[in-house]
Amino acid sequence: MNARARIGAVLAVLTLLLPPTAAVTAAAADDLPAVKLSKSQAGTGGSITVTGDGWRPRALLMILICGRSVPSKGVTGGTNSCANADGRAVTTDAEGRFSRKLPVAEPPVPCPCVVHVATVTGAKAEADAIFQVAGHAVEPLPADPAGGRLSVLTDTRLDGSGGLLTWFGAPPARTLVFTVGNVGTSAVRNPLFQVGTSHGVFAPQWEEQRWRGTIQPGEKARIELPVELAAGAHGDYTVSLKYGGKVLAEQPWGVGRPWGVTLFWILVCLVVPAAVFRVGMAVVDRVRPRRTVRRRGIRLPEPALRLPGLRPREEARHAASPSSTLPWFTPDSDPGTGTAGRLSAPHDDGTTSPTTPTRKAPP
């Protein structure tokens, strides 16, 4: 009885747990991004309506018609196999839904085709819906090459930091580090990766980089790939990793502004005008004609001629005295040096005047 009771209790517990689990699974399935088309086939020049739900609220999406793709494998050729010129952008509403009319255009590669919807910014999410472009060539998908397949096992990161040269506008550089594992049946030798950098809503600029080495089935390897931006780059960037035509990981990268360049131009705007001004003044000073200037004695104003300790009458007498002899008189012939008080013309003192009687002495 004890064993039967325990079995009954276990069954009761399982019965109670199964419905919530199924409900959680259904809810998780409903949260996955989904895409629906108004038509499964249309010709070039027509249009279809693309609707979706389960996307992130207020997310910017890009809608494209891509060839050589199926929903189970995704867009194997990347955006190069899509009609990029005829794509449309749409923003989801507060509930993660959208509806957008898409013109039908032929992709650059044969069908099978899909309508590919993917996020432009933020967390990566994508979904595909089967679509047939009427009149477009259809070819079977290329067989997957037998051999190894790489999968990213850890989150990517960017190692490195900027320096003084980066602060003055040198190209920012980092090292993209991640770990991959070979989940295939054969070894992968010298895998070729594609590293792309994108700024804002612009498409990534891809660059091929080959990693030298061999990864055996079931083994993993640490990969390091250099990443470099253009000189003077700043802002929010995204580094993407692609292998075998499929994006494996994305890593955000915030690049600071090169303030050294701004400081340099401020100094240029201050120093260059000052230097030009000094050169111009030197040229003007050298070119202008020279004039001979006669120096004269400094004449003090009248109040400065007064001497301390003298009365006004003595000051006037000192001021009236000649400071130098006249040029046409010598010191000996100066009339002021003769008999004091004589105002008439000079005459002989030995002669007698006829008008003055001469008294004779008595005998």
Side-chain angles (χ1 to χ4, degrees), residues 160-303:
S161 60
L164 181 62
L165 295 180
T166 305
W167 199 68
F168 280 95
R174 296 290 187 275
T175 301
L176 181 64
V177 182
F178 56 95
T179 302
V180 297
N182 186 356
V183 296
T185 58
S186 62
V188 177
R189 294 178 176 84
N190 301 330
L192 180 64
F193 296 95
Q194 288 181 308
V195 179
T197 55
S198 60
H199 181 54
V201 298
F202 295 98
Q205 301 293 328
W206 299 101
E207 179 183 358
E208 293 184 350
Q209 297 189 22
R210 186 177 297 277
W211 182 78
R212 300 293 178 179
T214 302
I215 307 175
Q216 299 295 335
E219 292 184 354
K220 59 182 181 180
R222 186 170 182 266
I223 310 296
E224 297 182 0
L225 302 176
V227 183
E228 186 177 84
L229 301 178
H234 62 277
D236 295 330
Y237 284 80
T238 301
V239 180
S240 303
L241 176 67
K242 182 188 292 187
Y243 177 74
K246 186 177 182 180
V247 178
L248 301 181
E250 290 182 342
Q251 178 68 31
W253 183 10
V255 184
R257 183 181 294 273
W259 292 107
V261 178
T262 304
L263 178 62
F264 171 78
W265 286 114
I266 291 176
L267 294 178
V268 168
C269 294
L270 294 177
V271 173
V272 171
V276 172
F277 175 77
R278 292 181 64 88
V279 172
M281 294 302 296
V283 172
V284 171
D285 184 68
R286 184 176 295 274
V287 172
R288 67 179 180 179
R290 301 288 182 179
R291 293 185 303 172
T292 304
V293 180
R294 298 179 62 183
R295 296 184 178 179
R296 298 180 179 180
I298 300 176
R299 185 174 182 179
L300 298 177
E302 188 66 24

Side-chain angles (χ1 to χ4, degrees), residues 125-145:
E126 58 185 13
D128 299 323
I130 298 176
F131 181 71
Q132 178 63 39
V133 180
H136 192 57
V138 178
E139 295 181 3
L141 293 175
D144 294 335

Side-chain angles (χ1 to χ4, degrees), residues 12 25 41 73 88-89 110 122 142 183 186 190 225 229 273 293 315 330 332-333 360:
T25 305
Q41 181 176 350
K73 294 184 178 181
R88 292 293 184 269
V183 296
S186 62
N190 301 330
L225 302 176
L229 301 178
V293 180
E315 293 178 4
T330 62
D332 296 338
S333 61
K360 295 181 179 181

